[in-house]
Amino acid sequence: MELQEAKQQFIDTWGALGSEWGINKSVAQVHALLLSASNPMSTDEIMEKLVISRGNANMSIRQLVDYGIVYKKHIAGDRKEYFVAEKDVLKWAMKIAVMRKQKELDPVMDILREISKNTEKDKTPEGKEFHKTVKDIQVLTDQLETIANKLFNTSGGDLLLKLIKLMM
Amino acid sequence: MELQEAKQQFIDTWGALGSEWGINKSVAQVHALLLSASNPMSTDEIMEKLVISRGNANMSIRQLVDYGIVYKKHIAGDRKEYFVAEKDVLKWAMKIAVMRKQKELDPVMDILREISKNTEKDKTPEGKEFHKTVKDIQVLTDQLETIANKLFNTSGGDLLLKLIKLMM
DNA sequence: TTTTATTTTCAGAAATTTTTGAAAATTCAG
DNA sequence: CTGAATTTTCAAAAATTTCTGAAAATAAAA
């Protein structure tokens, strides 16, 4: 049972990493479980493997499906739903990144833009300094966004490899 | 009190963003407070502004000092310690990134490497598939790390700007 | 339709994380 | 030294997040 042990370690590690980065442990573990599975799994199998409740399993799976990194799979002659993880790392990593950016980063940037506008006319040294602080964050974020867009709009699976060469 | 309002909004927004990304709310708020302050602040001033306890203030400040993004500042004739935030966005953003990578990502990558090694000899289809899944994560991570290193080893403050042009 | 399997929901319970605040430790002026 | 100011620690309380499990809803079969 060496392989099963390795899979379990992967699931545990992934769950812990998720927790540290604001992704629910169960969600991360279900993702890891499906990533390491060779076959589609039902909710019951997931519940059993991870020792979690039906409610938790259901919600975790749904979130992953919503993210677009886990797919529903119907199996002929079976009434239950089965689930498979997107196995292409670049695909699922990008989807997670894009989703978190939209949900968590973009709203913050909107607020910063607003703060920036509201403090633009302030002519006190204190006001000018604060305005610059906020503006600097915006500029850096915009630059990083531009780079990220370039990266991900490049074609092919080895886009990163190409970029690394480009930067040499 | 328009400016103070804007600062408060910045502090609140920053605290919320931190929470979503695994950074303690108080820590993020103290960081935002010092970022938006024109002068060094004492623990008591921070406690008062954020309405948090001494223990919380102390621990949050210390963490930021440990990260290297807040500096202690001694004021002549005053026994209290004062604190100032690093104002260069690129500097503090990089320090946060490097610190979290070392503390949270690198240990995970070490485990993945170990899992990878332990499943290398497995010749079953299931074993080979799992090995590939883990390996793929490693490869993507290594590529991203290479790119990040290139980015941050480039000189100057407008390194990102240069890169953007380079990629055009 | 009725029955049975399956999925979804969500209020309360449990677990985890964060915060408090007072005591202990440290620092420094006199 | 001594004693006051300041900082640090950490057990317990509070707040927040996560999880459970049973009931409600839905979907498919009979």
Side-chain angles (χ1 to χ4, degrees):
Chain A
M1 277 304 135
E2 187 54 58
L3 180 60
Q4 296 316 311
E5 220 175 282
K7 286 187 178 184
Q8 188 59 53
Q9 195 178 13
F10 176 63
I11 291 165
D12 292 343
T13 303
W14 213 238
L17 181 62
S19 292
E20 291 179 324
W21 287 79
I23 289 175
N24 178 287
K25 190 180 84 170
S26 295
V27 173
Q29 286 187 335
V30 171
H31 185 217
L33 174 63
L34 290 175
L35 273 179
S36 55
S38 290
N39 300 305
M41 295 183 79
S42 68
T43 301
D44 290 85
E45 287 169 326
I46 292 168
M47 285 168 61
E48 194 190 1
K49 277 279 183 191
L50 299 181
V51 196
I52 59 176
S53 70
R54 181 171 305 284
N56 190 5
N58 182 270
M59 285 177 124
S60 298
I61 293 166
R62 187 148 49 93
Q63 188 166 355
L64 293 165
V65 172
D66 287 346
Y67 288 179
I69 63 179
V70 160
Y71 309 119
K72 289 185 184 180
K73 165 106 187 168
H74 283 285
I75 288 188
D78 197 330
R79 199 156 146 184
K80 279 206 279 288
E81 280 185 324
Y82 287 77
F83 303 94
V84 207
E86 168 61 59
K87 288 291 177 77
D88 182 332
V89 210
L90 196 58
K91 257 195 199 168
W92 61 253
M94 271 181 54
K95 281 194 177 173
I96 292 173
V98 167
M99 185 269 301
R100 295 202 71 177
K101 176 183 178 300
Q102 286 177 350
K103 225 182 73 172
E104 294 154 6
L105 264 26
D106 288 352
V108 168
M109 294 316 294
D110 290 344
I111 292 173
L112 290 196
R113 252 183 296 278
E114 201 193 313
I115 292 175
S116 196
K117 222 177 71 183
N118 290 344
T119 53
E120 210 159 26
K121 47 201 170 198
D122 196 318
K123 290 303 171 203
T124 64
E126 187 190 355
K128 283 166 100 170
E129 192 181 348
F130 176 61
H131 180 259
K132 176 171 163 37
T133 295
V134 174
K135 204 60 183 281
D136 284 352
I137 295 172
Q138 269 179 256
V139 170
L140 178 62
T141 308
D142 288 344
Q143 289 178 341
L144 289 172
E145 193 174 337
T146 304
I147 289 180
N149 284 338
K150 297 249 177 255
L151 276 180
F152 296 139
N153 289 336
T154 305
S155 62
D158 53 357
L159 84 178
L160 295 178
L161 221 69
K162 281 180 193 159
L163 186 77
I164 290 169
K165 279 176 189 156
L166 179 66
M167 293 172 69
M168 292 302 189
Chain B
M1 274 305 134
E2 187 53 59
L3 181 58
Q4 296 317 310
E5 220 176 281
K7 287 188 177 184
Q8 189 58 54
Q9 195 177 14
F10 177 63
I11 291 165
D12 293 343
T13 304
W14 213 240
L17 180 62
S19 291
E20 290 178 326
W21 286 80
I23 289 177
N24 178 286
K25 190 181 82 171
S26 296
V27 172
Q29 285 188 334
V30 171
H31 185 217
L33 175 62
L34 291 175
L35 273 179
S36 55
S38 289
N39 300 304
M41 295 184 79
S42 68
T43 302
D44 291 84
E45 289 170 326
I46 292 168
M47 285 168 62
E48 194 191 1
K49 277 279 184 191
L50 299 181
V51 196
I52 60 176
S53 69
R54 182 172 303 284
N56 191 2
N58 181 269
M59 284 177 125
S60 298
I61 294 166
R62 185 146 51 90
Q63 188 167 354
L64 292 165
V65 171
D66 287 349
Y67 289 179
I69 62 179
V70 161
Y71 309 120
K72 289 185 185 178
K73 166 104 184 165
H74 283 287
I75 287 187
D78 197 330
R79 197 154 149 184
K80 281 206 277 288
E81 281 184 325
Y82 286 77
F83 303 94
V84 205
E86 167 62 57
K87 288 292 176 75
D88 183 330
V89 210
L90 196 60
K91 257 195 197 168
W92 63 252
M94 270 181 57
K95 281 195 177 173
I96 292 173
V98 167
M99 184 270 300
R100 295 202 72 176
K101 176 184 177 299
Q102 286 178 350
K103 223 181 74 169
E104 294 154 6
L105 263 27
D106 289 352
V108 168
M109 292 318 293
D110 289 345
I111 293 172
L112 290 198
R113 252 184 295 279
E114 202 193 312
I115 292 175
S116 195
K117 221 178 71 185
N118 290 344
T119 54
E120 208 158 29
K121 48 204 170 197
D122 196 316
K123 291 304 171 204
T124 64
E126 187 191 355
K128 283 165 102 169
E129 192 181 350
F130 176 61
H131 180 259
K132 177 173 163 34
T133 295
V134 174
K135 204 59 184 278
D136 284 351
I137 295 173
Q138 270 178 255
V139 169
L140 178 62
T141 308
D142 288 345
Q143 289 179 341
L144 289 173
E145 193 174 337
T146 304
I147 290 178
N149 284 337
K150 297 249 179 256
L151 276 181
F152 295 139
N153 289 335
T154 305
S155 62
D158 53 357
L159 84 179
L160 294 178
L161 220 71
K162 281 181 191 159
L163 186 77
I164 291 168
K165 280 177 188 155
L166 180 66
M167 292 171 72
M168 291 300 187

